[in-house]
Amino acid sequence: MLTIAAVFALNESTFAQRRIFADLDLSMPEQSMFASIDAGCTTLGQQRGLTTREVEVLQLLCKGRSTSYIAESLFISENTVRSHAKHIYAKLDVHSKQEILDLIAAH
C-alpha cells in the first residue's frame, strides 16, 4: 500500500512540474546540431590556423557556454579562456559570436 502511495505521489509531482513549466520553452538543442557546430568549428579552425585548444574553446563558445563553464570543463582558468577567445576573434577577424556562427554556416 505504501509503494502505491509513493508512486502516485511521484507521478503527481511530475505532473505538477510539467503543468507549472508548460509555458516555458526550455527545449534542449538537438545533439545533431552540436555535432554540426563541432564539425564547423574544426573546419574553420583548420582553415584559419587555430590551435587545438582554441578550437575546443570555440566549440564551447558557439554552443553558448559561459566563460566559467568552459574554464571548468577544460581545466583552465577563466583568464585563459578569455585569452583564447581574444585570439580566436582576432584570427577569425570577427567581433561577435553571431559573426562566428555566420562563418560556420557559410562553410
Side-chain angles (χ1 to χ4, degrees):
M1 187 71 147
L2 185 60
T3 304
I4 295 171
V7 169
F8 282 124
L10 290 174
N11 284 338
E12 248 338 278
S13 68
T14 303
F15 174 75
Q17 288 173 351
R18 278 187 280 145
R19 192 180 64 205
I20 291 169
F21 296 109
D23 61 331
L24 299 177
D25 184 24
L26 298 176
S27 58
M28 290 293 295
E30 294 182 28
Q31 291 301 324
S32 62
M33 187 172 95
F34 283 163
S36 66
I37 288 173
D38 288 344
C41 289
T42 301
T43 302
L44 191 59
Q46 290 170 346
Q47 292 173 351
R48 301 291 181 97
L50 298 180
T51 66
T52 304
R53 183 58 98 180
E54 287 171 342
V55 170
E56 292 172 343
V57 171
L58 177 62
Q59 290 170 336
L60 293 169
L61 283 173
C62 288
K63 293 175 186 173
R65 304 299 190 211
S66 68
T67 302
S68 58
Y69 178 91
I70 295 169
E72 189 175 314
S73 298
L74 299 179
F75 303 104
I76 57 179
S77 73
E78 290 185 35
N79 284 335
T80 303
V81 173
R82 283 189 279 277
S83 179
H84 284 311
K86 182 178 171 183
H87 294 137
I88 290 166
Y89 279 62
K91 289 179 179 181
L92 298 181
D93 193 28
V94 295
H95 300 94
S96 69
K97 287 182 191 176
Q98 185 59 53
E99 287 183 69
I100 294 171
L101 294 173
D102 292 343
L103 276 176
I104 291 170
H107 288 87

